[in-house]
Amino acid sequence: MDKYVCARPLHPGEVLKDEIEYRGISQRKLAVQMGMPYKVLNHILNERRPLTIQTEMMFEAALGVPADSLIRLQTDYNLQVANQDKSFAERLAQIRKAVAAL
């Protein structure tokens, strides 16, 4: 079994949303403090938008959540989603087959 496949990939936004809810911080207030549009923050927290290096660093500054942990979560999430994409898996198989014939 592939090490990146699980029942449901864990998006870093889910972890961040739990953290701000635990702390009782409103999304709107956090967005203002981070200088980020509320809609962008909400999309990240609701797993509709990926984190970037810059947003990971902003969350680290605002919440103390290490950016390198968020980077790993986002990378693992991306790998899990890609591994669950059947059409992409077929494309990879075609590439492997073509390269093996070289």
Side-chain angles (χ1 to χ4, degrees), residues 49-78:
R49 186 181 193 118
L51 289 172
T52 64
I53 297 296
Q54 290 83 4
T55 55
E56 289 159 346
M57 294 173 73
M58 291 167 68
F59 279 110
E60 180 179 62
L63 301 172
V65 177
D68 60 331
S69 296
L70 295 173
I71 290 166
R72 281 191 296 279
L73 278 174
Q74 185 66 59
T75 300
D76 288 347
Y77 175 83
N78 294 347

Side-chain angles (χ1 to χ4, degrees), residues 20 23-38 41 45 62-63:
I20 69 166
R23 294 182 187 201
I25 302 169
S26 82
Q27 289 185 24
R28 290 196 187 279
K29 184 174 181 179
L30 183 61
V32 168
Q33 291 175 339
M34 293 175 67
M36 170 186 298
Y38 166 77
L41 176 68
L45 298 178
L63 301 172

Side-chain angles (χ1 to χ4, degrees), residues 11-21 25-28 30-31 34 36 38-51 59 63:
H11 189 282
E14 181 179 349
V15 173
L16 291 167
K17 187 175 186 178
D18 288 346
E19 182 66 25
I20 69 166
E21 287 175 356
I25 302 169
S26 82
Q27 289 185 24
R28 290 196 187 279
L30 183 61
M34 293 175 67
M36 170 186 298
Y38 166 77
K39 186 175 183 175
V40 171
L41 176 68
N42 184 265
H43 281 193
I44 290 169
L45 298 178
N46 288 299
E47 307 172 36
R48 292 190 302 266
R49 186 181 193 118
L51 289 172
F59 279 110
L63 301 172

